[in-house]
Amino acid sequence: DGGITQSPKYLFRKEGQNVTLSCEQNLNHDAMYWYRQDPGQGLRLIYYSQIVNDFQKGDIAEGYSVSREKKESFPLTVTSAQKNPTAFYLCASSLDGIIAGELFFGEGSRLTVL
Amino acid sequence: DAKTTQPNSMESNEEEPVHLPCNHSTISGTDYIHWYRQLPSQGPEYVIHGLTSNVNNRMASLAIAEDRKSSTLILHRATLRDAAVYYCILKSNFGNEKLTFGTGTRLTIIP
């Protein structure tokens, strides 16, 4: 079945460690996104990519990094520079980053920093 | 970016229609109105979107005001599975991908 796969679903990290969250899609979508959600809050955009080898910062990019070497993959690294990394991370994709199409979301990765 | 305003929470009885409002008074001519919903501990799910005309699909209907400054998501017959947080967002047709999800409306369905 086509869709977006995020892994791991749950992740624990010690302070000072970098961690990479995986996001893979087999929908042949050009655009991919990373959002962060804190308890009781809406989603905030971290990074987005409209095409391979290109990405832009969202509203809260500090302390995060991404890459887009393949169309189907958009991994997110939470670095030690991120002050409050504990959150629910959501990856999404859309067919085209330009037209107003539907966003497809993964099931999320819950990161807890101990 | 144009912003949306939604009530924090709403309740509705099971098997009755639900009208979820959204205000977007600064909407631009190129902004589409999108609705998503999110169940607990899951990613959001697309519900419906529209530009000017009212829209219907198998999940819901979207009624858009003539001046486009507000819209209403209509669930025709609420079930317990419709209990979720509903987000109304604006998405430009010109590559502005900084989509802003507010805190949405938490819909509770009363059996």
Side-chain angles (χ1 to χ4, degrees):
Chain A
D1 286 357
I4 297 181
T5 302
Q6 289 187 240
S7 63
K9 193 165 185 176
Y10 299 95
L11 185 62
F12 297 89
R13 181 194 102 175
K14 290 183 180 178
E15 278 192 27
Q17 289 181 333
N18 291 356
V19 62
T20 297
L21 306 179
S22 169
C23 178
E24 304 277 332
Q25 54 99 357
N26 60 2
L27 300 167
N28 201 33
H29 284 174
D30 282 326
M32 296 187 74
Y33 315 81
W34 274 105
Y35 287 90
R36 168 183 172 138
Q37 187 172 36
D38 294 288
Q41 303 298 312
L43 282 68
R44 293 183 290 168
L45 183 65
I46 305 172
Y47 269 99
Y48 64 98
S49 168
Q50 293 181 310
I51 199 167
V52 174
N53 292 323
D54 187 48
F55 49 83
Q56 283 80 40
K57 292 181 179 180
D59 296 318
I60 55 164
E62 185 176 350
Y64 300 98
S65 66
V66 293
S67 63
R68 187 86 187 276
E69 297 176 2
K70 298 185 296 182
K71 187 175 185 178
E72 59 269 24
S73 179
F74 191 41
L76 173 75
T77 297
V78 184
T79 74
S80 56
Q82 169 51 235
K83 297 278 188 279
N84 299 295
T86 295
F88 188 46
Y89 290 89
L90 287 158
C91 179
S93 72
S94 64
L95 179 63
D96 187 317
I98 301 299
I99 63 174
E102 174 183 348
L103 284 177
F104 293 80
F105 282 85
E107 295 202 345
S109 293
R110 192 169 298 279
L111 172 63
T112 302
V113 174
L114 304 173
Chain B
D1 297 323
K3 296 288 190 282
T4 62
T5 304
Q6 300 176 253
N8 288 334
S9 62
M10 290 183 63
E11 288 185 349
S12 179
N13 294 321
E14 193 177 10
E15 298 187 6
E16 290 187 357
V18 182
H19 290 232
L20 296 163
C22 181
N23 287 321
H24 28 79
S25 58
T26 59
I27 190 171
S28 74
T30 59
D31 286 336
Y32 280 75
I33 302 157
H34 281 239
W35 283 83
Y36 288 77
R37 70 180 186 182
Q38 186 177 22
L39 277 65
S41 298
Q42 293 187 26
E45 171 190 32
Y46 168 84
V47 178
I48 200 166
H49 79 281
L51 184 63
T52 55
S53 304
N54 294 345
V55 184
N56 300 297
N57 66 20
R58 63 175 179 81
M59 290 181 70
S61 295
L62 176 60
I64 302 172
E66 197 167 332
D67 63 5
R68 300 211 323 127
K69 294 185 177 181
S70 65
S71 61
T72 302
L73 179 71
I74 302 166
L75 307 179
H76 295 286
R77 193 166 168 269
T79 70
L80 295 178
R81 287 176 295 179
D82 291 322
V85 177
Y86 286 79
Y87 297 99
C88 166
I89 65 172
L90 303 181
K91 193 167 186 294
S92 170
N93 210 24
F94 279 90
N96 177 5
E97 291 305 326
K98 289 193 175 185
L99 302 179
T100 301
F101 284 75
T103 52
T105 297
R106 182 173 299 278
L107 176 64
T108 301
I109 304 298
I110 302 168

